[in-house]
Amino acid sequence: MPLAPGHRLPDFEAEGIDGQLISTRRYYLRSGLVVVFTHAWPCAACRAYLSALDQYLPEFRTERTALLAIVPLVRTLVVDWGERVPQFPIVLAEGSELHSRCGFLLGEEIPAAALVVTDDTGTVWQAWDAGDGHELPDTGEVLAWVRYVSYQCPECWEANRW
């Protein structure tokens, strides 16, 4: 069953594209998360979507929300990002294990594209499962959900926002 509002994002540790260890636990009680699950790499549409989100990274950070991408590929694969590599963590997920743990698979093995918005405890507030397509929300809708989640706990954020 795919992640849905009210579920908790499973904890995981994995290696990032830059070789650093990435753990979901390091975000808890510090920031919300927007987690993007991509199709198996290389997927031009998924790469374009990650690049589009990257353009709004300052807005996500203003809302104390981090972006994280889960890209199923093998570490030895060369990833061509074009001119600009996204400035948020990209997890190298060998195979489809992380997609499977979150319920985003086509059949039993093929990673599906999806996006989840969580609060700072890892609780999912919104989730989109694009399956084998690319019908993920535009950046404006993702930012609207991030802002909505951030206003649900005003004591956790900046007092001068009110």
Side-chain angles (χ1 to χ4, degrees), residues 5 7 27 42 48 51 56 64 66 71 74 80 93 96 102 110 113 116 143-144:
H7 291 171
Y27 295 100
S51 294
Y56 292 89
R64 289 193 48 191
V71 179
V74 177
D80 178 16
S96 57
C102 296
I110 301 170
V116 296
L143 277 168

Side-chain angles (χ1 to χ4, degrees), residues 7 40 59 85 91 98 100 110 125 127 142 148-149 157:
H7 291 171
E59 285 87 343
V85 175
V91 171
L98 290 177
S100 176
I110 301 170
W125 282 71
V142 176
Y148 175 77
V149 171
W157 313 106

